[in-house]
Amino acid sequence: MRSLIFVLFVLVYSPVMAQEAEQYTCPMHPHYIADQMGTCPICGMDLVPAKADTNQSPGSGVIVSSEMIQTMGIRAAPVRMQSVGDTIRSFGNVMPSTRLETVVASRVEGWIEDLAVSAEGDAAAAGDLLYSVYSPDLIAAQRDFINALKSGSVARSSATERRLKSLGMQSGVIASVRKSRTVIERLPVYAEEAGVVSYLAVRDGDYIKPGAPIMRLQNYERVWIVASVAEKDMRRIKKDTSAVLSLPDISEERQGKVDYVYPTIDEATRTGKVRIVAANEEGLLKPGGYADVTFAVGEQMVLAVPTEAILHGSDGAHVVTMTSDQAFKPVIIRTGISANGYTAVEAGLAEGDMVVVSGQFLLDSEASLREGFRKMTPATSLIEMDRETPLSKLPVNAETLALIDHFVDAGLYFHEALNDNYRVDPFFLEASLKAGEGLLGTFGDTRLAPVINEAMQTIEAAQRSPEADDHKTALREALASLVIALEPWFLDGAPIHYRDLGLALFRDEASGNLWVQEGDAASNPFGNGPSVLIEWPDPMAGMAQDNPDPSHAGHVH
């Protein structure tokens, strides 16, 4: 759609760009402009080279009042040097970080008592009591330690303290025994790190032996995302490469960094594994969850513009530059890589140029963009046109004809669907509606406006025809209404254009309905009755004879 907007912009406000390529026009209809030799679609005369307008400066642009700029919410951004790199898209799964896992295991024989965490999922802060253990071995070791302290022997005290540590007694508890010089029969065990119980192997009163696992505590303040990356992209990802994470249940994106690139490739999927570390203080990244991953690779400083500022047309990429507070001009550019919302500009712009990036009507949607450009006042007017301007005198060119022909194509589509007995697809009619919006933006105050409005209403009705109980009747009504709406354009606008395309216009004698088809062998979609072929008018015929023969109005088929 943005290409359509740019075509309309150039059509209405063509003084904004220098005309480097030669153009052609019709001697009888000088408002028709084409980029190549051919015949005029209005009268059929051969085109001749158009003369350049020496009164227009090639650098002229579009002038917009300050009030309109505020109304449309136009916003511009400077062209500047920006860090831009290529991107690699992948997917991965959230996993707990084993670096933040604490394993609690027994080093003595004994019995579990006062189990403070009784189920997986229980949270424990650093220093919280996990359980107490009754162990004869620990009681005996404590007595030796107390006796060594009483003896005053430093060497013996140090040896017995090391034995307590080797049996799993924590430093804080040892300090308590040293101070009180009293045996603790039921030795408390505290959490050394904060975490959530991810595995619990014991219950209150269980007997344990040395080496027996008791529980695991997992901290989720940082998690891993293990991503699967295509084999061809693995060499481009290094340790500390930045990654953007998008999860389906979290609205905002998260940032991460590559922690480890696995050295192997999966033979079945031909993908490698990359481990990413991401902060998770809020606990929103759940292990087992899915994540879309985008890696930023090969970053470099380049001249760049916001990606949203770029329009794409048949000639390539374009931007609308702000040349002053109220003047705008489209510029063709050559683009490079895109990443992180910016696109590199290889040619067409200089650092410091201002480009339009958004506006209330300009970038919200394609239709509103067209409406915004329609409201702009051109610095110079190509042709004065109003409700009194005949259809044949409107400033149309090849691009405008292509837009109008969307409605003609819809008529041919309806005709084929009726003859071949199939339902139309509403999706295929969207292009006609979009083309109509663009045409109304340029020709809204001319005789073409009611033609386009009625045609668009008919197209919208035809989009609902597949849902009707009698879809063929609904489609026949749509075809009749569409061609009646287009009849003024067929006969007064560009009849030679449709004659040269090999199209024929018919009228059903019984109902009076019109239809358009390819070829002049009548294929009546309204029944088996006779029909009349309507001749395409020849705008040059009036010059050859003052009183044309009315018998040529049509043939009965």
Side-chain angles (χ1 to χ4, degrees):
M1 284 306 301
R2 289 184 173 179
S3 61
L4 173 59
I5 305 307
F6 183 77
V7 166
L8 292 176
F9 190 92
V10 175
L11 169 64
V12 183
Y13 307 130
S14 57
V16 299
M17 300 186 69
Q19 301 296 329
E20 296 180 356
E22 187 173 10
Q23 295 185 324
Y24 301 87
T25 187
C26 173
M28 293 297 298
H29 301 90
H31 54 273
Y32 177 75
I33 302 294
D35 293 329
Q36 56 186 4
M37 282 292 293
T39 58
C40 175
I42 302 172
C43 65
M45 290 187 65
D46 290 337
L47 301 180
V48 298
K51 294 182 179 180
D53 187 353
T54 58
N55 294 324
Q56 290 182 0
S57 63
S60 59
V62 174
I63 305 300
V64 186
S65 67
S66 57
E67 293 81 3
M68 190 58 66
I69 290 176
Q70 289 184 343
T71 300
M72 293 188 291
I74 294 175
R75 182 167 59 88
V79 181
R80 63 180 184 180
M81 299 300 294
Q82 180 75 25
S83 177
V84 177
D86 199 1
T87 58
I88 297 173
R89 294 184 61 86
S90 181
F91 65 92
N93 293 300
V94 181
M95 299 178 63
S97 171
T98 59
R99 300 186 194 279
L100 301 181
E101 183 181 59
T102 303
V103 177
V104 181
S106 174
R107 297 187 184 184
V108 295
E109 292 185 36
W111 288 263
I112 297 293
E113 296 184 3
D114 302 325
L115 186 62
V117 287
S118 57
E120 293 182 6
D122 286 354
D128 283 357
L129 176 67
L130 297 178
Y131 62 91
S132 298
V133 60
Y134 176 80
S135 170
D137 292 342
L138 278 173
I139 291 174
Q142 288 181 75
R143 286 174 178 162
D144 288 344
F145 178 57
I146 293 171
N147 291 332
L149 291 174
K150 291 179 179 179
S151 70
S153 173
V154 176
R156 184 180 171 192
S157 298
S158 298
T160 53
E161 183 177 352
R162 286 195 298 271
R163 182 164 181 263
L164 288 175
K165 288 183 178 180
S166 68
L167 292 176
M169 195 168 176
Q170 295 170 319
S171 298
V173 180
I174 294 175
S176 177
V177 172
R178 180 192 296 273
K179 182 178 180 180
S180 66
R181 301 197 178 189
T182 303
V183 173
I184 302 175
E185 292 188 354
R186 288 165 177 77
L187 195 72
V189 178
Y190 299 100
E192 296 183 356
E193 299 288 344
V196 175
V197 177
S198 61
Y199 171 77
L200 184 63
V202 299
R203 293 294 181 267
D204 215 2
D206 275 357
Y207 174 74
I208 55 175
K209 293 183 178 182
I214 297 176
M215 67 180 70
R216 292 194 188 97
L217 295 177
Q218 179 65 54
N219 188 307
Y220 296 104
E221 291 185 356
R222 291 192 308 276
V223 294
W224 289 344
I225 292 87
V226 178
S228 297
V229 178
E231 182 179 4
K232 65 181 180 64
D233 294 325
M234 285 293 290
R235 62 181 178 82
R236 304 171 64 192
I237 299 177
K238 310 294 183 183
K239 190 177 186 299
D240 293 329
T241 297
S242 298
V244 178
L245 311 172
S246 176
L247 290 91
D249 57 339
I250 301 178
S251 57
E252 69 274 8
E253 293 180 334
R254 295 300 182 93
Q255 302 294 322
K257 281 191 177 294
V258 173
D259 175 63
Y260 179 64
V261 179
Y262 291 76
T264 58
I265 298 292
D266 188 304
E267 294 182 359
T269 62
R270 308 311 304 172
T271 59
K273 300 292 185 184
V274 174
R275 190 172 71 207
I276 303 158
V277 177
N280 187 37
E281 288 84 358
E282 309 96 324
L284 298 178
L285 303 179
K286 308 293 186 183
Y290 173 87
D292 285 314
V293 183
T294 302
F295 297 97
V297 297
E299 291 191 350
Q300 53 186 317
M301 293 298 294
V302 295
L303 194 66
V305 297
T307 302
E308 62 182 337
I310 299 175
L311 309 175
H312 295 278
S314 58
D315 293 330
H318 314 77
V319 294
V320 178
T321 61
M322 179 183 286
T323 57
S324 71
D325 290 342
Q326 295 180 323
F328 299 85
K329 184 174 72 171
V331 175
I332 298 174
I333 62 174
R334 185 169 71 247
T335 60
I337 60 175
S338 296
N340 303 324
Y342 285 86
T343 297
V345 177
E346 297 178 352
L349 294 172
E351 187 173 2
D353 289 348
M354 299 296 292
V355 295
V356 176
V357 295
S358 69
Q360 181 179 355
F361 298 102
L362 295 180
L363 296 179
D364 237 2
S365 67
E366 306 298 350
S368 60
L369 173 62
R370 186 176 303 109
E371 178 67 12
F373 275 122
R374 183 182 70 82
K375 292 180 178 179
M376 291 183 177
T377 303
T380 56
S381 178
L382 289 179
I383 280 188
E384 295 294 336
M385 55 183 181
D386 54 27
R387 295 277 181 182
E388 302 304 318
T389 305
L391 290 174
S392 62
K393 298 295 185 181
L394 293 178
V396 297
N397 60 8
E399 287 84 359
T400 307
L401 282 176
L403 295 178
I404 299 174
D405 285 352
H406 278 290
F407 295 100
V408 181
D409 292 340
L412 296 173
Y413 181 36
F414 295 169
H415 178 262
E416 180 185 272
L418 288 168
N419 285 341
D420 294 347
N421 194 26
Y422 64 81
R423 297 174 187 262
V424 297
D425 188 336
F427 174 77
F428 293 153
L429 302 176
E430 283 296 325
S432 300
L433 297 177
K434 296 295 184 183
E437 293 173 5
L439 290 166
L440 290 175
T442 304
F443 299 96
D445 295 324
T446 70
R447 292 185 180 183
L448 186 59
V451 173
I452 299 303
N453 275 320
E454 293 175 19
M456 290 176 66
Q457 293 174 8
T458 302
I459 294 293
E460 291 172 347
Q463 288 183 313
R464 299 188 293 270
S465 68
E467 303 172 0
D469 294 335
D470 188 353
H471 72 93
K472 292 193 69 173
T473 298
L475 190 57
R476 286 193 184 98
E477 294 174 355
L479 174 60
S481 299
L482 177 61
V483 182
I484 287 175
L486 294 175
E487 183 181 13
W489 175 252
F490 278 143
L491 302 181
D492 300 329
I496 301 301
H497 170 65
Y498 299 107
R499 182 198 69 186
D500 292 345
L501 290 177
L503 302 185
L505 185 64
F506 284 93
R507 176 182 290 110
D508 176 48
E509 282 200 331
S511 63
N513 291 331
L514 299 174
W515 80 89
V516 63
Q517 67 172 56
E518 295 180 310
D520 56 5
S523 177
N524 194 340
F526 300 106
N528 298 321
S531 58
V532 175
L533 173 65
I534 300 175
E535 295 280 2
W536 296 114
D538 185 354
M540 304 300 293
M543 299 182 181
Q545 54 184 10
D546 294 330
N547 299 305
D549 187 350
S551 64
H552 292 292
H555 309 307
V556 177
H557 288 249

